[in-house]
Amino acid sequence: MKKSMLTLPICAALTTIVYADAVYINGPMKFKPIAASAYEQTTNDPLILNSKPWVIPAGFTQYIISDESNLDIYPDSNDWNDMNTANETGKHAGRYLYRTHEVRPGTDPYLGGAISIVDLKTGAAEILAQRADWEALDGLVWTPWQTLLFAEETITAQLLDPDAPNAQSGMLYELKFAKDDPTTVEEIKVRPMLGSLSHEGIEVDEEGNVYVIDEDRKGAIYKFVPNTFGDLSSGQLYALRVKNSQKTGEAEWVALDMNQVQINARIAAQAVNATPFCRPEDLERIGRTLYAALTCEDATDPANINGPGAILAIRLTSVPKVNYFVQPGVNVPVEVKPTSTTPGVTGFKSPDNLAKGPDDKLWIVEDNDNSDIWVALPDEDDDGYSDGVHLFASLKDKSAEGTGIYFGKDPHTLFVNVQHSETGNDKTMAITRRGIESEK
């Protein structure tokens, strides 16, 4: 059955959430949910926004990993720190944090999209790779074969890749490192078989299949099956199609025209009636379930392209099953923005990036003002919905958004970027627990 709504008091005008189970959320990031979004704590004070921009639970601290004071890639604009990942396997596993920077053409001179690297041991930050024809770099993931996949989030490409000149949208790239050196680039290759799309989320499963999305208001979700594990130069791209012509239910992966996907995979997906979702953005796989953040989805009105958003769950079984995992009004409150005369109600709106928590909870950050970080508990009663969605943090920097949430080797530390900050200083932060040793 559907989850009952979290109870809001009659005096909800104070923007508090009263949880029916008012308890700590257990696990390595054990926390008591914060009371509300940072509506009343919004500030433009640079001393606050450049040091402690997040409202966080008691017992946690926040600090800057890297900002534009130690690496300023685009001196004339914000650096648009976007996604984070680390060298999850291999030599020095977990030591280096990689970031995409979503800067788009428009600055003069345009310096091109970039990937940066931060040494988490020394704090040193530098550009790992940059090219003048890259634009709006977004998605980023470490592969089981120890490469980086990253991609462009652009519906209509402004800058053509010389190795894929017919592509009309963004491309996905693979970066290979020198042997046993996760700081030195050996080669970078475009991977057109994974589709010309407005890329953001990228995920890989144990079989080496790669999942991607198209961030369009009628965007599909895709699965690439390589001919050989770890070789993305050949294979078949599929799109997800729910069998009943609805948004949820039993589904199938439908093979696409591989010539068309390299030009415009959106057209290839539409040709086979792939199921459209409203701005799929990030992807995260936890076990055999793939989650997708749908930024403008309206689960009650599929025709509405300005909905509050939702989290989709795709069970990666022989017959995929699709359902809404987080849905405003069902297992999380609907947000009501405050006005000059009416206080707001904290709720869920415009989910953007996802992260797998150290104990398999799903972490979610909004592209919203004020940007919130939520934690969705697993679906233990098997009704399809998360058993509880709880507020972990909220951003005081109203013009900014939190992006790139990610857990590396330390299960007690969440990495998160603050993108297009009002201060002009975009940053990568850690939010971590205190007193861990005393609780063991």
Side-chain angles (χ1 to χ4, degrees), residues 86-161:
N87 56 321
E88 296 175 344
T89 55
K91 192 171 184 179
H92 304 300
R95 175 170 173 173
Y96 300 101
L97 189 72
Y98 309 101
R99 305 175 296 181
T100 48
H101 296 267
E102 199 190 347
V103 172
R104 299 167 182 265
T107 56
D108 186 22
Y110 180 64
L111 302 176
I115 299 175
S116 62
I117 178 173
V118 182
D119 186 335
L120 296 176
K121 184 176 181 179
T122 68
E126 62 184 6
I127 296 172
L128 180 70
Q130 186 170 22
R131 262 178 36 183
D133 62 293
W134 289 343
E135 52 185 308
L137 294 187
D138 197 324
L140 180 69
V141 71
W142 180 264
T143 70
W145 49 95
Q146 299 181 25
T147 64
L148 280 178
L149 301 183
F150 62 98
E152 299 172 310
E153 184 205 329
T154 179
I155 291 178
T156 303
Q158 299 182 56
L159 305 171
L160 300 182
D161 186 300

Side-chain angles (χ1 to χ4, degrees), residues 29-249:
M29 291 286 282
K30 179 181 177 182
F31 71 96
K32 182 178 181 180
I34 64 172
S37 293
Y39 302 138
E40 297 176 6
Q41 293 163 277
T42 298
T43 180
N44 56 11
D45 184 343
L47 292 178
I48 296 175
L49 298 185
N50 285 328
S51 60
K52 297 181 179 180
W54 292 96
V55 178
I56 55 177
F60 283 77
T61 57
Q62 57 185 305
Y63 60 92
I64 292 174
I65 296 291
S66 174
D67 64 6
E68 295 186 40
S69 69
N70 75 332
L71 178 63
D72 192 1
I73 302 174
Y74 305 96
D76 296 327
S77 65
N78 290 54
D79 276 5
W80 283 62
N81 306 358
D82 202 323
M83 291 291 199
N84 295 307
T85 195
N87 56 321
E88 296 175 344
T89 55
K91 192 171 184 179
H92 304 300
R95 175 170 173 173
Y96 300 101
L97 189 72
Y98 309 101
R99 305 175 296 181
T100 48
H101 296 267
E102 199 190 347
V103 172
R104 299 167 182 265
T107 56
D108 186 22
Y110 180 64
L111 302 176
I115 299 175
S116 62
I117 178 173
V118 182
D119 186 335
L120 296 176
K121 184 176 181 179
T122 68
E126 62 184 6
I127 296 172
L128 180 70
Q130 186 170 22
R131 262 178 36 183
D133 62 293
W134 289 343
E135 52 185 308
L137 294 187
D138 197 324
L140 180 69
V141 71
W142 180 264
T143 70
W145 49 95
Q146 299 181 25
T147 64
L148 280 178
L149 301 183
F150 62 98
E152 299 172 310
E153 184 205 329
T154 179
I155 291 178
T156 303
Q158 299 182 56
L159 305 171
L160 300 182
D161 186 300
D163 293 324
N166 295 321
Q168 297 175 352
S169 290
M171 301 303 293
L172 186 142
Y173 294 86
E174 183 168 23
L175 184 155
K176 181 179 179 182
F177 292 95
K179 183 176 175 58
D180 293 328
D181 184 358
T183 68
T184 300
V185 178
E186 182 177 284
E187 66 177 11
I188 298 173
K189 290 187 176 181
V190 65
R191 297 303 189 190
M193 296 291 180
L194 281 87
S196 175
L197 294 164
S198 181
H199 284 279
E200 182 163 334
I202 311 169
E203 190 56 283
V204 185
D205 66 21
E206 294 95 337
E207 290 79 36
N209 303 315
V210 181
Y211 301 86
V212 296
I213 57 83
D214 182 21
E215 195 193 331
D216 182 77
R217 290 187 183 273
K218 295 182 179 181
I221 297 171
Y222 301 79
K223 173 183 179 179
F224 178 74
V225 180
N227 291 335
T228 304
F229 180 90
D231 181 358
L232 304 184
S233 65
S234 63
Q236 177 65 52
L237 188 66
Y238 299 81
L240 184 71
R241 183 170 67 194
V242 180
K243 294 180 179 180
N244 60 11
S245 299
Q246 303 298 312
K247 295 293 191 80
T248 61

Side-chain angles (χ1 to χ4, degrees), residues 395-406:
L395 193 58
K396 304 172 192 175
D397 192 339
K398 189 175 181 179
S399 70
E401 65 171 289
T403 67
I405 50 175
Y406 174 75

